[in-house]
Amino acid sequence: MVLGAFAGFLIARRSQLIRRPITPEPSLVPQIDQRFDRLVRALPLGVLMLDIHGRIIFANRSAGMIFGFDPERAEGLHVIEVTASIQLERRANEALAGEASMGPLIVPGKVGSRKYAVSAYPMADEGENIGGALILAEDQTELLAIERARQEFLSSVSHELRTPLSSIKLMLETVSASPDDATADLFLPQALGQVDRLVTLVNRFLEQARAESGDLRLEFKRTRLDEVIRPIVQSFEPQAAAAGVKLVVKLGEEVFADIDGDRIGQVVVNLVDNALRFTSSGGAVKIELARKDQDARIVVADTGIGIPFKDLPHIFERFYVVDPSRTRASSGAGLGLSIVKQIAEGHGGTITARSLLGSGARFVCRIPLTQAGVRKA
C-alpha cells in the first residue's frame, strides 16, 4: 500500500517523462527538478525508472546498493544488464505491458541475503499510452525478522500459559472429585505454585510494557547489596536441591550502592532462575558480588548447557528465545533477560554474557556505586 501510494506520487511528479517521446539515448534523459532529484536519490527506497524498451533512465543510490550496480553508469543500459535478475526483468516486462505487479524478491549479499518487496508500475500518458515503467524496492528484512519474532513469541506465550493452566485444571478437578483431605493437601499447594508461575509471567509482560513506554520507575536508595542478594539466593535453595544443583555463594566484602533494591532483586532472580533451569543435576550455579573501581559487579555463572554462539548477541532482545526446540522444557517467553538489561541500564550500568556451548554461561551485571554523575537516557 505504501509503495503503491509512493509510486503514484512519483509517476505524477515526473509525468514529463511520458508526455514526450522516450528515446533510448542516454543523452536525452529528461531534466528533473533539483530538489525532487535530491529527495529521490537520498531515499532508502530503491527507485528505478525504465523507458519503453526496458532501459534505465533513472536509478537512485539505494537501487544501486540493493541490486549491486553504479547508478551513474547504469543509465541507458537494460535492467537485466545491471541487475542480472530474471525476476526483476519479468516484473519490468509486465509493467511495460501495462500490468502492475508486486511481490517478494530475495537478493543475495556478501553476508546473508536481504528480502525486498518489489513493485513495478506502468507509466502511461494521458492517452493511456505506456511510455515506461517505475520499479520500487523496499527492504523488508528487519520487518520479516520482527514478524518471525512475534510469531515465535505468541507460540512461546501460548505454551507458557497453557502448561500451568492445564496443571491447575487437572489438580482442581482431582481435588473436586475426591472427598479425601489428603488429596487436597497434596494438590492445592502445587496448584498455588502454578498460579505463582502465571503471576510471574504476567508481571514480566507488564514490566516489559512499562520499560518500553519509559515508565520503568527506579527509586534509588543507599543499599547494602549483599542484603539484597542473600535472601533471594536462599529462596532458590529448595529448587536447587530438588534439581541436584549446587549453589555456591561468594558475596565477599560489604558493598554499598545507590540502587533500587527491588529492581536489582529482579535482576538476581532472573539470572539465578535462568542458571538453574539450564543446569542439569550434578552441576553448579555460582553467585558472586564484588567491588571493582567505582562499580559493583554481580556475577552469576553456571555449568549448564551453555548458549550457542549464534544466539549470544541476541539474548537480551525482547521475546528472543534460544532455540526453543532444543530447550522447550526450560524455555520462557523471552522477556527475563530483556528486563534485566533495561534495569541495569536504568542504573547506568551494563549486563554482559559469555558462554561456550556445553560449558555453561557467565553473566556479569555492572552497577555504579553512586548515581551522582550518571546520565539517564
Side-chain angles (χ1 to χ4, degrees):
M1 184 177 295
V2 173
L3 287 182
F6 186 71
F9 170 71
L10 279 181
I11 292 171
R13 182 65 181 83
R14 302 183 72 183
S15 59
Q16 65 265 35
L17 288 176
I18 52 178
R19 287 179 179 166
R20 66 182 69 186
I22 296 181
T23 171
E25 292 298 324
S27 60
L28 298 180
V29 174
Q31 296 298 313
I32 309 168
D33 176 81
Q34 289 186 355
R35 288 177 298 176
F36 183 75
D37 182 57
R38 285 197 297 269
L39 169 66
V40 176
R41 289 183 186 279
L43 282 173
L45 194 71
V47 180
L48 278 172
M49 284 190 169
L50 312 179
D51 67 13
I52 191 62
H53 304 289
R55 285 189 275 255
I56 296 172
I57 56 177
F58 174 82
N60 70 350
R61 183 170 56 243
S62 294
M65 293 176 63
I66 291 170
F67 298 111
F69 65 86
D70 182 353
E72 299 299 327
R73 299 181 180 180
E75 294 181 1
L77 298 177
H78 196 280
V79 66
I80 192 66
E81 293 181 82
V82 295
T83 67
S85 172
I86 296 175
Q87 286 182 292
L88 189 63
E89 183 188 36
R90 185 181 301 119
R91 299 269 176 83
N93 289 337
E94 289 172 356
L96 292 171
E99 295 291 333
S101 65
M102 59 189 67
L105 182 68
I106 297 176
V107 178
K110 292 181 179 179
V111 183
S113 297
R114 307 290 295 179
K115 298 175 178 63
Y116 296 88
V118 175
S119 302
Y121 303 91
M123 295 195 299
D125 60 20
E126 294 175 351
E128 299 300 320
N129 298 309
I130 304 298
L134 171 67
I135 297 175
L136 303 177
E138 181 182 27
D139 192 343
Q140 293 196 323
T141 307
E142 279 73 29
L143 288 175
L144 292 172
I146 291 171
E147 175 61 19
R148 283 196 303 273
R150 185 188 70 84
Q151 292 174 354
E152 291 172 0
F153 165 69
L154 290 175
S155 174
S156 177
V157 168
S158 298
H159 172 80
E160 289 293 309
L161 292 175
R162 183 174 61 247
T163 300
L165 285 173
S166 298
S167 298
I168 292 168
K169 182 175 183 293
L170 178 61
M171 292 172 189
L172 293 180
E173 286 175 347
T174 303
V175 171
S176 177
S178 174
D180 187 0
D181 289 342
T183 302
D185 292 341
L186 174 64
F187 286 112
L188 287 180
Q190 295 182 38
L192 288 173
Q194 294 296 329
V195 170
D196 289 339
R197 179 179 172 184
L198 285 173
V199 170
T200 298
L201 182 63
V202 171
N203 284 339
R204 286 184 175 180
F205 291 141
L206 293 174
E207 290 293 342
Q208 185 69 39
R210 291 191 190 101
E212 291 188 358
S213 66
D215 195 31
L216 187 64
R217 297 188 181 92
L218 299 174
E219 297 181 5
F220 295 101
K221 182 180 178 182
R222 198 68 179 168
T223 305
R224 186 171 149 179
L225 276 165
D226 64 299
E227 293 181 348
V228 173
I229 298 171
R230 184 174 285 106
I232 291 173
V233 175
Q234 289 173 345
S235 72
F236 279 102
E237 288 176 352
Q239 179 181 337
V245 176
K246 183 179 180 181
L247 285 179
V248 180
V249 184
K250 184 180 178 182
L251 300 183
E253 62 178 312
E254 295 180 2
V255 179
F256 287 86
D258 295 338
I259 63 169
D260 184 317
D262 291 336
R263 297 298 188 184
I264 294 300
Q266 281 183 267
V267 169
V268 177
V269 167
N270 278 309
L271 294 180
V272 175
D273 181 57
N274 272 356
L276 285 173
R277 286 192 293 118
F278 293 99
T279 301
S280 56
S281 179
V285 173
K286 187 174 184 179
I287 301 97
E288 296 181 73
L289 170 65
R291 173 175 176 165
K292 185 174 182 180
D293 300 326
Q294 297 303 309
D295 297 326
R297 304 288 176 98
I298 301 170
V299 180
V300 177
D302 63 67
T303 59
I305 60 176
I307 303 168
F309 179 77
K310 67 180 179 64
D311 294 306
L312 203 54
H314 306 289
I315 58 174
F316 295 107
E317 297 173 7
R318 63 190 179 103
F319 308 139
Y320 192 86
V321 179
V322 175
D323 193 0
S325 63
R326 183 175 68 98
T327 59
R328 172 55 75 186
S330 302
S331 65
L335 289 173
L337 290 179
S338 173
I339 293 170
V340 164
K341 180 175 183 287
Q342 288 164 346
I343 293 173
E345 291 178 349
H347 281 76
T350 59
I351 178 74
T352 57
R354 290 189 303 171
S355 180
L356 287 175
L357 190 60
S359 300
R362 175 184 171 88
F363 289 82
V364 179
C365 180
R366 179 190 64 82
I367 301 295
L369 297 177
T370 175
Q371 289 298 304
V374 174
R375 186 176 65 184
K376 295 296 185 294

